Amino acid sequence: MTVCLLLLCAVALTAAVPAPRALTRAAWPERDPVVALWVWQCLVATVLLCCLAALVLGTAAVFHTVRDRVFAPAPPAVTAAYDLSAAPVWAAVLTLLLACGAAWTTAMLGRELAEVRRRRGRARAHLRERAPELPAGLPAARGPMLVLEDEYPDAWWMPGHPPQLVVTTGALHRLTGHQLDAVLAHERGHARAHHDWLLHLSTALATGFPRVPLFAHFCDQTHRLVELAADDTASRRHGHLTTALALIELNQHRGVLSCASSHRLLGERVDRLLEPRPRLDRRRRALTTAVAALVPLLPLLITFAPGLTALS
């Protein structure tokens, strides 16, 4: 068991510190943000699986009741292969830290979900005030798109049940028909890929563990990559130039081309659309996706290796 814990710690530290730093320095994620998002998710899954596997093994070594339940269906040779009775003292300390981390992670996820529900409730109440229900006898406007009276051009996707695409009259007046279609395709790209849940997960992990490089970079890169992925969805259907012009028209009053840090991403997105780089070729996309999918299997392989060796 000691070897398993050490290997799990080594894999978790590798995926949590050097791997995200190398990924943030790489240039290819900008060319294929969907694959990059998948790689980030696989790294996060690897770390979480390492922590979960180490927690289960450590708890089984410290508490006999847990050990009996975890290894109840296993033959005696499998239980002996893990050598749980000879667990070092540091394994108990590690188990306590992992248990606290698991509880804190659960609390952060629950806090984020509760905050999301509150924000959505306030947003929908605000929308009901700006777009009140029609009088009795008239059909209610509950379609997939809601138009608000506002001089500022804006458009956003409102998740929930049912989800709605909100567009202001300022956007309808400023955008051409093709540009409006590009904006709608961009927002529908967010909705189809469920980017909102990915953003909530990354925010919860970064809030709970701000000093862990993986979670901090995961949050920053997720907010960036989901926008790039939605831009690609719109540009593939309506063209890069049309999507770039729509982005400029929607955000011109916010300073889309300014150098402020909060607006820098908008400028990068416009530059990326005006000077598009080729996507990764099919072979490299498939290879990167497959390798990333195999990485979360390492904690499972390390955890089950002693038992499988004993059975063979």
Side-chain angles (χ1 to χ4, degrees):
M1 188 202 71
T2 303
V3 176
C4 289
L5 289 179
L6 291 175
L7 289 176
L8 288 172
C9 290
V11 172
L13 289 174
T14 303
V17 182
R21 289 176 178 171
L23 190 56
T24 54
R25 296 191 189 101
W28 68 265
E30 184 176 334
R31 297 169 55 189
D32 211 319
V34 174
V35 177
L37 282 171
W38 171 250
V39 174
W40 279 108
Q41 293 175 74
C42 289
L43 284 177
V44 172
T46 300
V47 172
L48 295 180
L49 284 174
C50 284
C51 294
L52 179 61
L55 177 60
V56 172
L57 289 178
T59 306
V62 175
F63 299 101
H64 294 279
T65 304
V66 177
R67 182 191 314 173
D68 294 339
R69 291 188 178 183
V70 171
F71 290 91
V78 173
T79 306
Y82 286 92
D83 197 14
L84 298 173
S85 59
V89 178
W90 61 265
V93 177
L94 178 63
T95 301
L96 178 60
L97 292 176
L98 290 173
C100 294
W104 184 246
T105 302
T106 304
M108 288 296 100
L109 290 174
R111 175 178 175 272
E112 180 66 20
L113 290 177
E115 185 63 25
V116 167
R117 293 188 63 181
R118 283 196 293 268
R119 286 199 301 264
R120 288 183 181 177
R122 289 195 299 265
R124 289 193 176 275
H126 182 59
L127 287 180
R128 283 195 296 269
E129 292 177 0
R130 298 177 63 185
E133 297 289 341
L134 296 177
L138 293 178
R142 297 185 180 275
M145 188 171 76
L146 176 65
V147 179
L148 294 181
E149 184 71 31
D150 197 328
E151 61 177 328
Y152 289 103
D154 205 355
W156 68 93
W157 188 265
M158 176 67 66
H161 301 287
Q164 278 189 316
L165 179 64
V166 184
V167 182
T168 65
T169 53
L172 297 179
H173 293 153
R174 178 167 293 189
L175 299 176
T176 66
H178 292 298
Q179 291 172 359
L180 181 60
D181 290 338
V183 171
L184 300 183
H186 175 99
E187 297 302 332
R188 289 193 180 107
H190 284 311
R192 290 192 183 115
H194 300 286
H195 286 161
D196 55 325
W197 290 111
L198 193 56
L199 293 172
H200 299 326
L201 172 63
S202 64
T203 301
L205 292 175
T207 303
F209 304 93
R211 295 186 179 276
V212 178
L214 173 62
F215 297 150
H217 289 306
F218 178 51
C219 183
D220 294 338
Q221 292 299 312
T222 298
H223 282 77
R224 175 174 176 267
L225 292 172
V226 295
E227 295 299 335
L228 300 185
D231 288 343
D232 288 347
T233 300
S235 62
R236 280 196 295 269
R237 296 185 177 183
H238 305 284
H240 292 88
L241 181 59
T242 301
T243 306
L245 292 176
L247 188 61
I248 293 173
E249 291 293 338
L250 274 182
N251 297 278
Q252 199 169 22
H253 63 287
R254 300 189 182 100
V256 62
L257 300 179
S258 70
C259 296
S261 58
S262 59
H263 301 143
R264 192 172 302 160
L265 177 58
L266 290 171
E268 292 177 1
R269 291 166 59 193
V270 172
D271 292 339
R272 180 174 175 270
L273 289 168
L274 294 178
E275 298 179 359
R277 299 177 60 187
R279 298 176 64 192
L280 299 180
D281 59 80
R282 186 175 300 178
R283 181 167 174 247
R284 188 176 176 185
R285 280 171 55 89
L287 181 62
T288 304
T289 303
V291 171
L294 291 175
V295 173
L297 298 181
L298 284 176
L300 301 179
L301 180 62
I302 293 171
T303 304
F304 292 109
L308 295 176
T309 303
L311 289 176
S312 62

